[in-house]
């Protein structure tokens, strides 16, 4: 299957700093990328959807100024957590899919464990 | 609107026993359904997906699921559990109205005992 590389896998940062997470599709063009957040022992919650070259669409309750998403190319999307606080500590997962119908599989990155201290 | 409900946050089976993980869906338009597996601190791996071509879907690692429209269900089964099947399992739904973003259930943690 296709590969989605997410980096870093783990990051610890101080409260008030910003953290950037990268999501790359290595062998296909990702026209759409999704960013999810997962709290311990809970499900994945969709944060935002981004299409290449367009502004991201954020889910209700997700602060777009805090979680900056950029999808400037067909192989790279980034999520920047700005002015991070301890409550932002979570597991962030991206997924990417190429253009196509609903059966086009979305491939997931390995996730990023963010800890804000 | 679309959603999935996974019955049972924890399921425990003996090695070699039948695995049954339940998923019921709600969708205002024809749904597309998926089962994913997640190992600790990892991303998600697709087990299988429902396409309208067949109601019984076979996936990887011996898993299969049956789409039952009348019951709005998409339960995941495996005839004989292996120790390596212990993981978190997520049912997910999407449709054309959501831009094909996946809406996940709360997950079921499968424990396999010797």
């Amino acid at each position: 299957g296709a590969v989605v590389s997410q980096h870093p896998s783990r990051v610890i940062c101080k409260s008030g700093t910003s953290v950037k997470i990268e999501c790359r599709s290595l062998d296909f063009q990702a026209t759409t990328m999704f960013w999810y957040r997962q709290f311990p022992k809970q499900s994945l919650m969709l944060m935002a959807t981004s299409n290449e070259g367009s502004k991201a669409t954020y889910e209700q309750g997700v602060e777009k100024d805090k979680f900056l998403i950029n999808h400037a190319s067909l192989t790279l999307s980034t999520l920047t957590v700005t002015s991070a606080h301890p409550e932002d500590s979570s597991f962030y997962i991206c997924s990417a899919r190429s253009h196509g119908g609903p059966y086009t599989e979305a491939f997931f990155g390995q996730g990023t464990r963010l800890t804000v201290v | 609107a679309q959603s999935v409900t996974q019955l049972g946050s924890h399921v425990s089976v003996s090695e070699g026993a039948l695995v049954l993980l339940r998923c019921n869906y709600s969708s205002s338009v024809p749904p597309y359904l998926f089962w994913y597996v997640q190992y600790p601190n990892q991303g998600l791996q697709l087990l299988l997906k429902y396409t309208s071509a067949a109601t019984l879907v076979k996936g990887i690692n011996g898993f299969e699921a049956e789409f039952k429209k009348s019951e709005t269900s998409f339960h995941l089964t495996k005839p004989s559990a292996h120790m390596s099947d212990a993981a978190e399992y997520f049912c997910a739904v999407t449709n054309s109205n959501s831009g094909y973003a996946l809406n996940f259930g709360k997950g079921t943690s499968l424990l396999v005992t010797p």
Side-chain angles (χ1 to χ4, degrees):
Chain A
V3 177
V4 174
S5 175
Q6 189 173 339
H7 179 81
S9 58
R10 293 177 178 270
V11 58
I12 301 173
C13 70
K14 291 184 177 181
S15 184
T17 62
S18 296
V19 173
K20 180 183 286 188
I21 302 170
E22 291 188 349
C23 181
R24 294 180 182 273
S25 57
L26 297 186
D27 51 4
F28 70 101
Q29 294 186 327
T31 53
T32 305
M33 286 192 172
F34 306 94
W35 286 95
Y36 296 86
R37 181 174 182 175
Q38 185 180 30
F39 290 104
K41 305 298 184 183
Q42 295 189 29
S43 187
L44 286 77
M45 300 301 296
L46 179 67
M47 298 175 67
T49 301
S50 72
N51 293 298
E52 185 265 338
S54 302
K55 288 185 178 180
T57 302
Y58 290 81
E59 295 300 298
Q60 191 172 10
V62 178
E63 300 176 58
K64 63 179 181 181
D65 294 331
K66 181 169 187 61
F67 298 100
L68 301 179
I69 292 173
N70 183 281
H71 190 173
S73 78
L74 285 171
T75 59
L76 174 64
S77 177
T78 60
L79 167 67
T80 301
V81 183
T82 62
S83 186
H85 290 100
E87 57 266 31
D88 298 324
S89 298
S90 189
F91 193 55
Y92 294 87
I93 305 177
C94 70
S95 75
R97 63 193 300 271
S98 60
H99 181 72
Y103 305 128
T104 303
E105 182 178 345
F107 296 94
F108 285 80
Q110 292 298 95
T112 297
R113 174 74 60 191
L114 171 64
T115 303
V116 184
V117 298
Chain B
Q2 56 176 6
S3 65
V4 291
T5 301
Q6 290 183 242
L7 298 176
S9 58
H10 294 83
V11 171
S12 180
V13 300
S14 300
E15 190 175 19
L18 171 71
V19 175
L20 171 61
L21 304 182
R22 299 179 185 274
C23 174
N24 287 89
Y25 70 89
S26 173
S27 178
S28 57
V29 296
Y32 307 104
L33 295 157
F34 306 79
W35 275 99
Y36 285 88
V37 61
Q38 184 183 33
Y39 297 97
N41 291 312
Q42 294 189 27
L44 277 72
Q45 181 181 12
L46 180 67
L47 284 176
L48 47 80
K49 59 184 176 183
Y50 165 66
T51 67
S52 58
T55 56
L56 183 61
V57 181
K58 294 187 182 297
I60 62 172
N61 300 340
F63 285 95
E64 62 182 38
E66 186 171 9
F67 174 74
K68 291 186 177 180
K69 184 177 180 180
S70 61
E71 299 178 8
T72 61
S73 68
F74 190 56
H75 302 328
L76 181 71
T77 60
K78 182 174 180 177
S80 177
H82 294 166
M83 297 296 291
S84 60
D85 293 328
E88 192 79 16
Y89 291 81
F90 292 97
C91 181
V93 64
T94 189
N95 60 38
S96 56
N97 290 346
S98 71
Y100 304 120
L102 292 168
N103 197 332
F104 289 88
K106 291 185 180 299
T108 298
S109 180
L110 177 64
L111 175 66
V112 182
T113 58

